[in-house]
Amino acid sequence: MTAPPELTKVLIVEDHRVVAEGLWALLAEYSDLTVVGWADSVAETVPMAKELKPDVALVDFRLPDGTGADAAAGIRAHDPSVAIVILSADASDSALLAAVEAGACGYLLKSASGDEIASAIRSAAEGETLIPASTLVEVLARHREDARSTAEQNERLDSMTPREQEILTLMSQGLDNRAVAERLSISYATVRTHVRRILEKLDARSQLEAVARAAEFGFKPAQPEGPEE
């Protein structure tokens, strides 16, 4: 007689009970998979993984005390043989990169079908990497571009003097140049000079665009300091 195939043991890590119960019921429909337990937090995950010794952990990315990446790192620090499949509603590049860095071999969105989830669990248990190299290359390229863009934005904001930041703050409150001059007790010509420099530094064509770009860059309004040319 042929021995029955060994079941793949799955640990579910999900903080929403209804989702966890749904996944448990879903995986019970596949004869080669068995759910051995459910953890609802990062803190609970590692002790449960130690006790239950799953082959695969199916982990939500957003947990009440951390992320799926935290849970994955904790599991694999104890037992690197446990395969990690992240199941999340977060489709961001940052979440995917965090999961990969923590040792996850798969990343599925919660819109995935039952068959897709089961297939991913099987593949992970066999040691397969479910995230295509081409996808990682694209994500890393976008991540580097975002980092460069953020650095450039910070550099533009940092290049502004305290007075320019002060005037930009008043601009964002809707004050025109004459009102800014009156508020700060400086000349209208001085305000115009500062505004021109602000537009140059933010690569903006108008004061409205400068205000919008500064907000996009994370500008934090400065407090008025009083008269000063």
Side-chain angles (χ1 to χ4, degrees):
M1 293 180 62
T2 303
E6 187 173 344
L7 297 179
T8 297
K9 296 182 292 183
V10 182
L11 171 65
I12 294 172
V13 182
E14 166 62 59
D15 62 316
H16 293 96
R17 176 179 289 273
V18 67
V19 177
E21 290 178 346
L23 287 170
W24 198 313
L26 171 70
L27 297 179
E29 297 179 6
Y30 298 90
S31 60
D32 59 327
L33 306 178
T34 181
V35 176
V36 293
W38 163 46
D40 63 5
S41 65
V42 174
E44 192 178 41
T45 296
V46 176
M48 191 163 288
K50 287 180 180 180
E51 176 186 353
L52 301 174
K53 297 178 173 53
D55 301 303
V56 179
L58 185 62
V59 186
D60 184 15
F61 191 78
R62 299 297 176 191
L63 296 168
D65 56 346
T67 67
D70 298 326
I75 292 171
R76 290 182 61 79
H78 166 67
D79 185 356
S81 70
V82 179
I84 309 294
V85 175
I86 300 294
L87 182 64
S88 177
D90 190 341
S92 68
D93 288 350
S94 59
L96 174 59
L97 286 175
V100 171
E101 289 171 356
C105 64
Y107 196 101
L108 295 176
L109 295 180
K110 286 187 173 179
S111 57
S113 67
D115 286 345
E116 288 172 330
I117 294 172
S119 178
I121 291 172
R122 294 187 190 104
S123 297
E126 293 295 324
E128 296 180 24
T129 298
L130 308 175
I131 304 170
S134 59
T135 298
L136 285 179
V137 169
E138 292 174 4
V139 168
L140 286 170
R142 288 196 296 268
H143 180 70
R144 285 193 292 268
E145 182 59 34
D146 288 345
R148 281 195 294 269
S149 178
T150 298
E152 179 184 344
Q153 292 170 5
N154 291 337
E155 185 177 345
R156 287 182 182 277
L157 292 178
D158 291 343
S159 71
M160 288 195 297
T161 66
R163 177 58 87 190
E164 288 165 354
Q165 293 181 25
E166 191 176 21
I167 290 174
L168 180 58
T169 296
L170 295 176
M171 286 165 52
S172 69
Q173 294 172 0
L175 275 67
D176 61 22
N177 289 356
R178 293 193 183 281
V180 170
E182 182 178 347
R183 175 74 66 87
L184 299 179
S185 299
I186 59 179
S187 72
Y188 175 71
T190 297
V191 172
R192 288 191 62 183
T193 298
H194 283 306
V195 168
R196 185 172 63 253
R197 290 173 181 163
I198 290 170
L199 297 186
E200 291 173 353
K201 291 178 179 181
L202 294 178
D203 192 23
R205 290 163 293 188
S206 67
Q207 292 182 226
L208 182 60
E209 184 181 6
V211 169
R213 296 204 76 185
E216 179 186 348
F217 294 172
F219 173 69
K220 295 180 179 179
Q223 294 299 318
E225 297 178 352
E228 179 186 316
E229 294 292 325

